[in-house]
Amino acid sequence: MLPIKTSSTTSLEPFDARAIFAGSVVDIAGSLHSEALTYIAAGLAWFVIGTNPETTVAFYLFNIGRGLFFTGLGAYFAGRMARTNPLQHALVAGSVSLLVSVGLRLAQPEFFLSWEILLAVLLTMPVALVGGLLSRNAQVPTRD
């Protein structure tokens, strides 16, 4: 016969809003700042070289990688700051990243679905999972 589980053994630990907020800020602020720097560099390159680098596949892949890097970093921070369940906190921070990213894309008047947007959306949660797994492996034991 299976043992009866009481509410104390099945209850989930509450989420640490501070950890999720910090991870989301790392992700969103890092992504937005690096995007501004990327487009400034692309504008300078266009001015110097004479061709627009924003039309190349390499530019799109760089932007996807840059955004996913900050998603993983934000998930890592959320997992590290969480007192319990670092993986769950990392995934919630990744979900916030996904919602903000999709919301910003839908708010653009010239929005259209393209392969780079679809690729970034599909890879956001797996990258957040990797960030959470890395944070779980780096957890420092606390003294009680």
Side-chain angles (χ1 to χ4, degrees), residues 67-109:
L68 291 174
F69 169 78
F70 281 105
T71 297
L73 188 64
Y76 176 82
F77 269 81
R80 279 292 295 216
M81 290 183 68
R83 291 189 177 100
T84 60
N85 302 323
L87 193 56
Q88 291 177 351
H89 285 80
L91 290 174
V92 171
S95 299
V96 170
S97 168
L98 185 61
L99 289 174
V100 169
S101 149
V102 168
L104 288 174
R105 288 289 177 200
L106 291 175
Q108 293 177 347

Side-chain angles (χ1 to χ4, degrees), residues 8-93:
S8 64
T9 59
T10 59
S11 66
L12 293 175
E13 295 291 325
F15 283 109
D16 186 357
R18 181 181 53 89
I20 294 168
F21 178 75
S24 297
V25 166
V26 166
D27 177 16
I28 295 166
S31 294
L32 291 176
H33 283 90
S34 66
E35 182 175 12
L37 292 175
T38 300
Y39 279 98
I40 288 170
L44 289 173
W46 190 2
F47 178 73
V48 172
I49 298 171
T51 58
N52 186 1
E54 295 177 24
T55 60
T56 64
V57 174
F59 184 78
Y60 288 119
L61 291 176
F62 176 78
N63 276 336
I64 291 169
R66 176 190 48 75
L68 291 174
F69 169 78
F70 281 105
T71 297
L73 188 64
Y76 176 82
F77 269 81
R80 279 292 295 216
M81 290 183 68
R83 291 189 177 100
T84 60
N85 302 323
L87 193 56
Q88 291 177 351
H89 285 80
L91 290 174
V92 171

